[in-house]
Amino acid sequence: MTNVFTVDVEEWFHVCGVEALSKPRWDRLPSRVRLTTRRLLDILDTAGVRATFFVVGWVAERHPELVQEIRAAGHELGSHGHDHQRVYELTPDDFRADLVRSRDALQAAGGGPVTMFRAPEWSIGERSLWALDVLAEEAFSIDASMAPLRLVGSPASPRGPHVRQTATTTMIEAPPLVCDRFGQVMPIGWGWGLRMSSPARVRRTIDAANCAGRPAVLMVHPWEIDPEPPRVTLPLRQHFGHYFRLEGFAGRLLAVLRGGGFGPLSTIASGGLPRYPQ
């Protein structure tokens, strides 16, 4: 079974809900996205993995050469929104405008057709399901924005890629890998959950998902492998999510990738996915 590896290409300061890192300040903060994304491209090349890169439109506008490098390396491109805003904090009209602007920025940078989307902070859920209709109306066919986790979504959501009905068509939804620990559903395919877990534990969780008939979807940010990450004061929850166990993560990630079986999102779009709800 082919599993999926994805990257959310954003700057280290693209943290939602933190005034000190709000958009008016972005152009005055040091950019690290070119260095860290290129480092991640090297890791993927070493592991022989092709991935899907969800790029923030704001980044594509400022670094079109980075979009071109990602595509030239054989990876897919998708949208991560333009201004890195949580979807449930937007109106449908504002979400559409942000989505279209991000797609236009990626295409202007040489990204080719853009039909895949991931919302910042997994922010499509029960209170923003209308966003799937907007995506379908704008000719997006794959979404990867819904995490089956209490803090950002619902543990009752499907754990594997599946097909959802929108108002006009169907949409493939690709949630990230989770696991059950200490009586709770926990992230293990992204963020602090992936960084804290040994490569062996991650591989065991992937194998368990595959045995259950589900491809595993993993995600990282380029800033997670920054050799000299900028340090700023953040609220406790964001500080933990942003800085916990960054040390040595590049090596642990390479060990996971060398386990084999990863490809871009398009590898799961050929049919045979379950429908939700049944």
Side-chain angles (χ1 to χ4, degrees):
M1 178 174 290
T2 300
N3 298 296
V4 175
F5 192 77
T6 66
V7 180
D8 286 0
V9 181
E10 60 190 51
E11 288 279 11
W12 64 271
F13 47 76
H14 285 154
V15 182
C16 296
V18 177
E19 177 60 30
L21 299 178
S22 60
K23 187 182 178 184
R25 304 170 189 264
W26 289 354
D27 281 317
R28 301 196 299 271
L29 294 168
S31 174
R32 303 282 293 174
V33 71
R34 286 176 296 179
L35 180 151
T36 54
T37 302
R38 287 165 178 161
R39 190 177 188 217
L40 185 54
L41 285 170
D42 288 342
I43 290 173
L44 291 172
D45 184 61
T46 298
V49 170
R50 296 294 174 261
T52 301
F53 283 66
F54 293 98
V55 183
V56 170
W58 186 91
V59 170
E61 285 183 342
R62 284 153 181 80
H63 306 292
E65 75 289 347
L66 196 57
V67 173
Q68 296 158 20
E69 288 176 34
I70 292 168
R71 194 175 186 197
H75 303 290
E76 295 178 342
L77 286 159
S79 166
H80 195 36
H82 193 275
D83 290 340
H84 202 260
Q85 298 170 284
R86 299 181 184 114
V87 172
Y88 56 73
E89 294 175 345
L90 301 173
T91 67
D93 286 344
D94 288 341
F95 172 61
R96 188 188 303 273
D98 184 84
L99 177 69
V100 170
R101 189 177 177 190
S102 73
R103 180 181 62 196
D104 290 349
L106 281 163
Q107 291 177 343
V114 178
T115 60
M116 294 178 284
F117 176 77
R118 173 174 284 141
E121 295 193 1
W122 316 101
S123 53
I124 295 181
E126 294 302 319
R127 52 181 162 171
S128 53
L129 288 176
W130 50 263
L132 298 180
D133 294 332
V134 175
L135 287 167
E137 290 164 8
E138 294 297 334
F140 284 74
S141 58
I142 300 179
D143 179 62
S145 305
M146 304 179 72
L149 190 70
R150 188 176 306 281
L151 288 176
V152 292
S154 169
S157 295
R159 294 193 176 192
H162 58 279
V163 177
R164 285 179 176 256
Q165 182 69 47
T166 72
T168 58
T169 185
T170 57
M171 177 79 60
I172 293 175
E173 184 64 43
L177 183 66
V178 297
C179 65
D180 296 298
R181 296 188 69 185
F182 313 114
Q184 300 291 326
V185 181
M186 299 182 66
I188 195 169
W190 79 99
W192 61 264
L194 178 57
R195 298 198 302 264
M196 75 175 287
S197 303
S198 69
R201 179 179 288 278
V202 175
R203 291 302 316 175
R204 288 196 299 271
T205 307
I206 291 171
D207 290 344
N210 292 169
C211 287
R214 300 191 302 268
V217 179
L218 272 60
M219 182 278 285
V220 300
H221 303 93
W223 52 259
E224 292 179 278
I225 59 166
D226 193 331
E228 298 179 358
R231 297 279 177 170
V232 294
T233 300
L234 297 173
L236 183 60
R237 184 173 71 84
Q238 284 96 335
H239 186 277
F240 178 78
H242 209 67
Y243 292 120
F244 177 72
R245 209 172 179 226
L246 293 177
E247 298 80 7
F249 180 55
R252 297 193 300 276
L253 177 61
L254 181 58
V256 171
L257 293 173
R258 279 179 165 157
F262 289 101
L265 264 173
S266 63
T267 59
I268 65 168
S270 58
L273 296 177
R275 297 182 67 93
Y276 178 82
Q278 295 293 332

